[in-house]
Amino acid sequence: MAFVEFRDVLKVYRMGEVEVAAVDGMTFDIERGELVVVVGPSGAGKTTLLNMLGGMDACSSGTIMLDGREISAFSEKELTYYRRYDIGFVFQFYNLVQNLTALENVELASQICKDPLDAGTVLKQVGLGHRLDNFPAQLSGGEQQRVAIARALAMKPEIMLFDEPTSALDPELVGEVLNVMLSLAKEGMTMVVVTHEIGFAREVADQIVFMDGGVVVEQGGPEIIDNPQEPRFKDFLQHVL
Ligand code: ADP
Ligand code: MG
């Protein structure tokens, strides 16, 4: 059994009369310690996929397993614990508390955790040992995003989920965030990363999933970037490369 298993996962949103299948039957596995990069155009269902894996959104049908536990059958209470203790989530916008220092932002999040890592130690791990007492407004976007990564890591998650973590950053700040992610991957963290950073995907991903219209269109090792088979994937790569 794989660490993460998606089986025929469907997510339908209803808006009045209209139904949108944001994820329209996805099946894939993630092994422990793998770095999976999910790519695809806007509206492909990437965020929906992460939200279901992160326990923030329930699937309409199908099963989602993590480490042998069926997330898709969890009660609300189980989901609350799952989000708190098992999942590290990093979003495009870092959402730090503006009147708390970097250290206090990480400590605040650790308060809901049973046995958190030391906030100063994780901030050092993301290269911010010298920035502990700075407020978010005194940090660059890349540094703020690294605080957000530290905040998630302090909870000792089983898996880290990243939803376009560098999309809001100035181009010169993207590299420092990707480097922190790379070092996490090297330490064996299981990671699912939604990103348009194709170079990063090619260099560090164990698996790439290209999705469009809520389905997996093409999937494989990083070599599929240089040798795409599906026309939709080829077309997408031409636009982002
Ligand atoms: P991506 O992250 O790849 O851009 P999303 O997962 O955000 O795609 O969205 C996939 C599809 O589902 C889109 O058509 C989007 O409009 C729709 N969708 C996403 N979230 C909701 C929601 N809460 N209610 C209704 N439709 C939604
Ligand atoms: Mg999205």
Side-chain angles (χ1 to χ4, degrees):
M1 172 179 274
F3 186 54
V4 173
E5 292 188 355
F6 266 61
R7 290 291 173 271
D8 304 316
V9 174
L10 178 77
K11 175 66 189 183
V12 177
Y13 289 113
R14 282 192 185 77
M15 290 176 297
E17 303 283 281
V18 186
E19 287 194 352
V20 180
V23 166
D24 199 6
M26 284 189 71
T27 294
F28 64 87
D29 288 347
I30 299 173
E31 300 300 333
R32 194 188 284 273
E34 263 189 340
L35 191 161
V36 177
V37 171
V38 179
V39 294
S42 181
K46 307 181 297 296
T47 295
T48 304
L49 170 80
L50 280 194
N51 285 347
M52 289 191 290
L53 180 53
M56 286 165 38
D57 212 344
C59 57
S60 307
S61 66
T63 54
I64 302 172
M65 309 280 296
L66 186 133
D67 203 10
R69 295 180 297 158
E70 190 180 346
I71 311 310
S72 43
F74 275 179
S75 66
E76 282 304 319
K77 189 169 180 185
E78 286 171 313
L79 282 174
T80 301
Y81 285 111
Y82 173 70
R83 286 192 298 264
R84 257 185 216 183
Y85 302 129
D86 298 327
I87 297 295
F89 221 129
V90 177
F91 304 91
Q92 180 174 354
F93 300 103
Y94 357 102
N95 298 320
L96 302 178
V97 183
Q98 293 296 316
N99 64 340
L100 297 181
T101 63
L103 186 70
E104 289 164 346
N105 264 281
V106 178
E107 283 172 347
L108 180 69
S110 343
Q111 278 171 15
I112 62 166
C113 183
K114 280 174 286 202
D115 181 25
L117 295 174
D118 174 67
T121 307
V122 271
L123 280 161
K124 281 189 197 96
Q125 195 188 337
V126 300
L128 293 175
H130 59 304
R131 294 298 222 165
L132 304 184
D133 298 324
N134 283 113
F135 293 99
Q138 298 169 327
L139 301 172
S140 72
E143 288 169 334
Q144 290 186 61
Q145 187 59 298
R146 286 189 278 146
V147 174
I149 294 173
R151 177 177 61 187
L153 284 177
M155 329 274 278
K156 294 198 282 194
E158 291 276 319
I159 184 167
M160 288 279 286
L161 310 178
F162 295 81
D163 196 357
E164 303 202 28
T166 60
S167 296
L169 299 176
D170 290 330
E172 73 271 23
L173 303 176
V174 168
E176 64 189 64
V177 172
L178 295 180
N179 280 336
V180 165
M181 291 164 61
L182 177 56
S183 68
L184 282 181
K186 283 189 176 150
E187 283 163 29
M189 178 64 79
T190 308
M191 297 163 65
V192 184
V193 182
V194 172
T195 184
H196 297 296
E197 296 293 331
I198 294 296
F200 174 78
R202 176 170 28 207
E203 273 169 52
V204 308
D206 296 299
Q207 237 197 102
I208 292 178
V209 174
F210 170 70
M211 61 185 294
D212 193 10
V215 298
V216 178
V217 174
E218 192 164 344
Q219 181 183 9
E223 67 281 355
I224 67 172
I225 287 174
D226 296 311
N227 190 19
Q229 300 299 311
E230 295 293 328
R232 271 193 285 175
F233 189 30
K234 283 182 194 170
D235 193 49
F236 174 79
L237 286 170
Q238 268 165 9
H239 283 93
V240 295
L241 282 175

